[in-house]
């Protein structure tokens, strides 16, 4: 399992619509938050071990209507 975090910069007024669509349609979604700062949303995704992260981001996330920009963080190890 691969864990990635993706920040979304949305078109003005579209952040909640984007968040709703991500939660409803992408089974890889763990959670999504509205945030302050340079990006509007922060989402956590769990991808399969052999999943292509670049393909997931460019074909499933960057194509969502209302998304202007994404920033992807790839994680290595979770500490608890």
């Amino acid at each position: 399992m691969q864990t990635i975090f993706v920040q979304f910069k949305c078109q003005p007024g579209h952040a909640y619509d984007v968040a709703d669509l991500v939660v409803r349609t992408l089974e890889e979604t763990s959670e999504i938050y509205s945030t302050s700062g340079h990006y509007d949303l922060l989402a956590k995704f769990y991808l399969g071990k052999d999943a292509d992260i670049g393909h997931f981001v460019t074909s499933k996330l960057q194509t969502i209507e209302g998304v202007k920009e994404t920033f992807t963080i790839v994680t290595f190890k979770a500490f608890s």
Side-chain angles (χ1 to χ4, degrees), residues 39-73:
Y39 290 88
D40 302 303
L41 302 170
L42 171 66
K44 181 179 183 181
F45 298 98
Y46 291 113
L47 306 179
K49 184 179 79 150
D50 296 324
D52 183 326
I53 294 170
H55 189 275
F56 174 77
V57 172
T58 58
S59 69
K60 290 191 175 183
L61 302 181
Q62 291 179 345
T63 59
I64 295 172
E65 186 174 342
V67 172
K68 285 178 26 177
E69 184 180 319
T70 62
F71 181 80
T72 303
I73 301 164

Side-chain angles (χ1 to χ4, degrees), residues 11-30:
Q11 297 288 340
H14 285 85
Y16 280 50
D17 295 331
V18 170
D20 182 56
L21 185 67
V22 168
V23 168
R24 284 187 301 106
T25 62
L26 298 174
E27 65 184 30
E28 297 90 348
T29 307
S30 170

